[in-house]
Amino acid sequence: MNRVRVLLAAGGVVLAIALFVLLARPGSSGSRQGGGGLVIGGPFSLVDGTGKNVTDRDFRGKFLLVYFGYTHCPDVCPTTLGAMAEALGKMPAPARARVVPVFITVDPARDTASVVGAYAHAFGPEFVGLTGSAAAIADVEREYRVYAQKHVLEGGDYAMDHSSVIYVMAPDGSFDAVLDDQMAPATMAQQLTKLGV
Ligand code: NI
């Protein structure tokens, strides 16, 4: 499953930019080396909404839809997570049961375990929110080629500028595909079906 399958839909420019970011930040030591040359994903050790330690191995046997963002995000994160929830809602129950949507914060300073857990859960009972130490989040961002940058706002508050794509990880933990965050939920559901979900 190492073949890179890039699924293009509307919003191809956004995907192109996302892929540029992905390709422009090559390999970390912890990443899995895929046969296709594009290395995405790898081992992680994070904390879920209940404060429990979880690793990538805990999700073996499931397709993961991995999305990176932060709970203070005003627009892109809630829109994308909402689209993921809607897409899963369009899939038959047995397929849906094979998928775990995972939200990983890029803002661990504010997104504690309970905050990220409650936020993810608001999009559906199957959504898992993950956070961790600054170092653990930096590691997983590097593995997934995530761009995330703090952006201080007037008044001292801050936002996180971040790349926004949905990673589909296969049940064996390998990278399967990237879905454009602008994809309509029905299209997303079709693409997941094509990927064998
Ligand atoms: Ni966001």
Side-chain angles (χ1 to χ4, degrees):
M1 300 289 272
N2 284 325
R3 205 153 40 91
V4 175
R5 282 176 282 188
V6 176
L7 305 169
L8 282 168
V13 173
V14 175
L15 183 61
I17 293 166
L19 282 175
F20 174 77
V21 172
L22 296 173
L23 292 164
R25 309 185 72 205
S28 74
S29 55
S31 297
R32 193 174 31 75
Q33 192 69 48
L38 185 59
V39 184
I40 297 177
F44 60 77
S45 181
L46 298 169
V47 178
D48 74 6
T50 67
K52 188 169 67 112
N53 276 296
V54 294
T55 75
D56 54 297
R57 300 199 150 270
D58 294 322
F59 298 104
R60 290 292 186 276
K62 300 279 190 184
F63 284 91
L64 297 189
L65 295 186
V66 182
Y67 184 73
F68 289 82
Y70 69 116
T71 68
H72 284 68
C73 183
D75 39 36
V76 178
C77 291
T79 303
T80 306
L81 291 166
M84 285 164 63
E86 209 179 318
L88 291 173
K90 291 179 184 300
M91 298 178 71
R96 197 177 165 154
R98 288 192 284 272
V99 180
V100 181
V102 177
F103 176 70
I104 302 179
T105 185
V106 297
D107 184 16
R110 290 187 295 197
D111 290 343
T112 59
S114 58
V115 168
V116 80
Y119 182 81
H121 217 70
F123 292 92
E126 69 273 54
F127 278 69
V128 174
L130 298 178
T131 186
S133 67
I137 293 295
D139 282 348
V140 73
E141 286 175 359
R142 198 159 45 240
E143 288 178 342
Y144 280 82
R145 308 294 181 268
V146 171
Y147 168 79
Q149 186 68 51
K150 188 188 269 194
H151 170 145
V152 177
L153 303 170
E154 223 172 297
D157 204 0
Y158 67 90
M160 297 296 293
D161 299 332
H162 65 94
S163 50
S164 175
V165 292
I166 301 160
Y167 303 88
V168 184
M169 306 303 286
D172 66 358
S174 66
F175 171 71
D176 217 350
V178 173
L179 302 181
D180 181 351
D181 68 347
Q182 305 286 303
M183 199 178 265
T187 310
M188 206 182 283
Q190 280 169 11
Q191 298 292 4
L192 291 173
T193 303
K194 271 191 204 165
L195 289 168
V197 172

